[in-house]
Amino acid sequence: MLKFSKAEKVVLIGGIIVILLIVALGFAKKTLIDNKKEPFKVPESAETTTTSKKEEPKESDIKGIKLKKSTFVVGLNKKLSEKVSTYVEASDDIMKEIEIDFSHVDMTKAGEYTAKLTYKNDSIDIPIVVKDTTAPVITVANAQVVFTLEPTSTLEELITFVNATAEDDVDGVIASDQITGWPKALSDKNETVTYTLKVKDSSGNEGKKDITVQYIVPTTENTTPSDE
């Protein structure tokens, strides 16, 4: 077995420490070089996401003129705005020279149309959709009903008394059986109930009408013959 003097042991331990330091520094230097070669990557979870924004006026094919919408929806049989500012954004000087031709837009017929905007020698199309946006109207003969409940009372009796009808500016008279919102059955107690009648036209516009029914349960009075 080898034996070392105290001085030799100190030298040996010091040499081991130096070797360990050299190895550690070499590893650190290699890691630093590798990191420089490979660029930093943003983790997928940290990537920036974009959120949807409300439609904003966008540049048209004519410089300085922006359409306020991609498509303009107007109500059937309504008055069509012919103001330039309704459809575009532009400077005051440009606005004064803009002309819009609405001659091909038929406000009495639902459909897709195109108006023509002209500025100097340039022109662009303005998409216009004409559609029925007016709800049908429900009319009732009696909106406030006092209904006395008798053993023979029926729901049909209540419906007949209210006498609800519906009419639409496009579809005309709507069949009464298309009106919904009636109760499934009559109440059986003293109470006041509000029912909302509803009807839709062929375009899906919904009209509503509230009716109030006061149910009354008649009381039975026992009468005793008077003594003479």
Side-chain angles (χ1 to χ4, degrees):
M1 175 181 257
L2 295 174
K3 293 184 179 181
F4 299 97
S5 64
K6 187 175 182 180
E8 290 174 332
K9 288 180 180 180
V10 171
V11 173
L12 182 60
I13 292 172
I16 293 173
I17 293 173
V18 171
I19 293 173
L20 291 175
L21 289 173
I22 293 173
V23 172
L25 289 173
F27 179 77
K29 183 177 181 181
K30 182 178 183 301
T31 302
L32 181 62
I33 293 174
D34 290 342
N35 288 339
K36 288 183 178 180
K37 291 180 180 179
E38 185 175 351
F40 175 73
K41 293 182 179 181
V42 179
E44 292 183 2
S45 59
E47 290 181 352
T48 304
T49 57
T50 58
T51 56
S52 58
K53 295 182 179 180
K54 183 179 179 181
E55 183 179 358
E56 296 181 357
K58 53 186 179 181
E59 203 74 46
S60 68
D61 292 336
I62 303 178
K63 185 177 180 181
I65 297 177
K66 292 182 179 180
L67 285 176
K68 288 187 174 181
K69 296 180 182 179
S70 56
T71 301
F72 295 86
V73 179
V74 292
L76 184 67
N77 296 320
K78 302 294 184 181
K79 181 176 176 59
L80 178 66
S81 172
E82 296 186 0
K83 292 181 178 180
V84 175
S85 58
T86 300
Y87 306 94
V88 301
E89 284 187 2
S91 67
D92 292 341
D93 291 338
I94 292 178
M95 294 283 266
K96 292 176 182 178
E97 297 188 53
I98 291 177
E99 294 182 356
I100 303 179
D101 179 12
F102 296 99
S103 60
H104 296 291
V105 181
D106 187 353
M107 295 301 297
T108 65
K109 185 178 180 180
E112 297 180 0
Y113 300 93
T114 300
K116 182 76 70 176
L117 180 150
T118 303
Y119 172 66
K120 294 184 177 180
N121 296 323
D122 295 319
S123 65
I124 54 174
D125 291 337
I126 300 178
I128 295 178
V129 175
V130 177
K131 62 185 297 186
D132 179 14
T133 58
T134 303
V137 177
I138 299 176
T139 304
V140 298
N142 298 287
Q144 305 286 332
V145 180
V146 177
F147 195 85
T148 302
L149 294 165
E150 302 290 350
T152 57
S153 295
T154 63
L155 178 59
E156 287 71 24
E157 184 181 351
L158 173 63
I159 294 174
T160 300
F161 186 73
V162 172
N163 190 21
T165 58
E167 189 170 357
D168 184 65
D169 61 347
V170 176
D171 298 341
V173 176
I174 300 175
S176 58
D177 60 2
Q178 298 299 307
I179 299 175
T180 62
W182 298 106
K184 294 182 179 180
L186 296 174
S187 177
D188 58 358
K189 58 186 177 180
N190 291 310
E191 64 175 350
T192 300
V193 183
T194 297
Y195 301 111
T196 300
L197 305 183
K198 301 177 182 180
V199 70
K200 288 185 178 182
D201 62 16
S202 59
S203 298
N205 301 305
E206 185 177 67
K208 299 180 180 180
K209 178 70 176 181
D210 287 343
I211 63 169
T212 302
V213 180
Q214 181 183 358
Y215 291 101
I216 296 177
V217 178
T219 57
T220 302
E221 296 182 359
N222 295 321
T223 58
T224 303
S226 58
D227 295 332
E228 294 186 1

